[in-house]
């Protein structure tokens, strides 16, 4: 007995599908464990706000600068605009996952240190529920916090009686961030127009630790502790995003697609505490406001031009109203310590992204290199956070760092005999990125990173009906 058109026997096909799915899930669980152990950041800037905001793009469009608002799903997933789910291939179950490695250098005032870390970026799955209706669900980090550094003030104070120099050494440590799980639907009510929504649950928090020590004339026997602080929070909330896409033909070989998304901002509750103590055991706990957190309204628009079936050029603009959002922050007035919510830690934030993808001949019967997808792009992001000038002094603020990145990458089809006979369109996405975080003020850290991005899209023809002869 054999399958129609000499396909692999049905039981073998099921075994192959099941094995690939199990391998993908096992790899993902390992990546999630890595992410839970490492926030995916070594940046000192993750100390402020909700941490560093994560790139929400996936393996295939990271190399295109992170564009995606006007790009549809088809043989791949695009979670940046839920309207794209309406275009998911009717025969496919798609599983997409990715991770990245960061190799960077942090420098300030002529000195620097190398930092390296790995992070799990996302997992997403999608399928078509019925004609013109697609479903997607997954997990991706929203923000990350991870740092450990020490500063020393060589001329902090002098004893007014003895004139001895008292040096101040402060260690800063932090971990945490917000994670999100989401489920989304995309629907095409009429030809070339689709709408969709993502519903997400955000959860997580932060632990920020500041430990002070004073040394008299650099003598170990004359060390004494200053006040130490721990900031802690646990939060959980929801997030709603809506999207739309409209495509129209501008010539027999050219399509233009317009896309837009809106995310709803709102207040949310969270446990927030500040602990002030000395090693002698004197501890003071200060509670923050219960509803002292916000996520911003977000808006995005994009445009994409597709020529034939081998060239895509796209650009996005994103805007987020972080300037209206609050987060608890420590305020020290004399010996009085409070932990109120404030909007002084944030500023409105925008991103510009552009990218291109070129495939020499995606339908070539022979020639593997003709089917490789070559990608490039860039992005610019304005600061979303402000940085206090002095610990606990919120009156004078520095603008946080802006980000600029340049990206290159390829999409490598998993093109073997079994895949081609089964109609499988799985692909490995490899990209490299140069990322620079530049502060607007002097005496702040500049960060340069080389990032290696790796993503795998498993596109399995789970819903193909095989005929048995």
């Amino acid at each position: 007995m054999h399958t129609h058109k000499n396909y692999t026997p049905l039981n073998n096909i099921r075994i192959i599908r099941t094995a690939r799915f199990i391998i993908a899930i096992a790899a993902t669980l390992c990546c999630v464990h890595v992410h839970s152990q490492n926030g995916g950041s070594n940046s000192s800037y993750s100390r402020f706000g909700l941490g560093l905001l994560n790139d929400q793009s996936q393996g295939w469009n990271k190399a295109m600068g992170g564009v995606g608002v006007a790009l549809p799903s088809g043989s791949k997933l695009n979670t940046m605009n839920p309207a794209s789910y309406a275009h998911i291939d009717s025969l496919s179950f798609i599983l997409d996952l990715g991770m990245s490695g960061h190799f960077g250098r942090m420098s300030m005032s002529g000195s620097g240190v190398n930092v390296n870390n790995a992070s799990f970026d996302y997992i997403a799955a999608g399928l078509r529920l019925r004609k013109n209706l697609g479903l997607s669900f997954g997990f991706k980090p929203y923000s990350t916090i991870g740092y450990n550094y020490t500063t020393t003030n060589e001329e902090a104070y002098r004893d007014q009686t003895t004139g001895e120099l008292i040096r101040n050494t402060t260690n800063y440590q932090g971990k945490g961030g917000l994670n999100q799980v989401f489920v989304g639907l995309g629907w095409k009510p009429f030809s070339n127009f689709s709408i969709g929504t993502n519903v997400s649950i955000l959860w997580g928090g932060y632990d920020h630790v500041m430990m002070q020590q004073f040394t008299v004339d650099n003598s170990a026997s004359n060390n004494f502790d200053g006040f130490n602080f721990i900031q802690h929070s646990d939060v959980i909330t929801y997030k709603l995003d809506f999207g739309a896409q409209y495509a129209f033909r501008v010539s027999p070989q050219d399509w233009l697609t317009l896309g837009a998304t809106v995310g709803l901002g709102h207040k949310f509750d969270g446990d927030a505490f500040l602990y002030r103590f000395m090693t002698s055991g004197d501890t003071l706990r200060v509670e923050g406001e219960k509803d002292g957190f916000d996520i911003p309204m977000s808006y995005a628009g994009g445009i994409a031009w597709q020529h034939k079936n081998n060239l895509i050029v796209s650009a996005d603009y994103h805007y987020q109203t972080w300037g209206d959002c609050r987060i608890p922050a420590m305020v020290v007035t004399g010996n009085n310590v409070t932990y109120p919510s404030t909007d002084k830690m944030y500023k409105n934030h925008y991103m510009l992204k552009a990218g291109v993808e070129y495939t020499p001949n995606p339908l070539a019967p022979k020639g593997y290199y003709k089917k490789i997808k070559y990608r490039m792009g860039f992005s610019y992001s304005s600061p979303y956070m402000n940085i206090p000038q002095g610990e606990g002094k919120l009156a004078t603020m520095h603008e946080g760092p802006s980000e600029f990145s340049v990206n290159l990458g390829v999409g490598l089809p998993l093109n073997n005999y079994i895949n081609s006979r089964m109609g499988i369109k799985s692909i490995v996405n490899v990209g490299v990125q140069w990322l620079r975080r530049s502060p607007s003020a002097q005496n702040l850290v500049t960060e340069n990173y080389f990032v290696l991005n790796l993503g795998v899209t498993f596109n399995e023809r789970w819903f193909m009906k095989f005929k048995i002869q």
Side-chain angles (χ1 to χ4, degrees), residues 65 158 172 271 304 317-318 331 377 380-381 391:
R158 285 190 179 274
Y172 300 90
D271 294 326
Y317 175 78
H318 299 251
V331 177
Y380 172 81
S381 175
E391 194 63 49

Side-chain angles (χ1 to χ4, degrees), residues 110-121:
S111 61
V113 61
N114 295 328
V115 292
N116 305 308
N117 66 275
S119 65
F120 170 66
D121 293 335

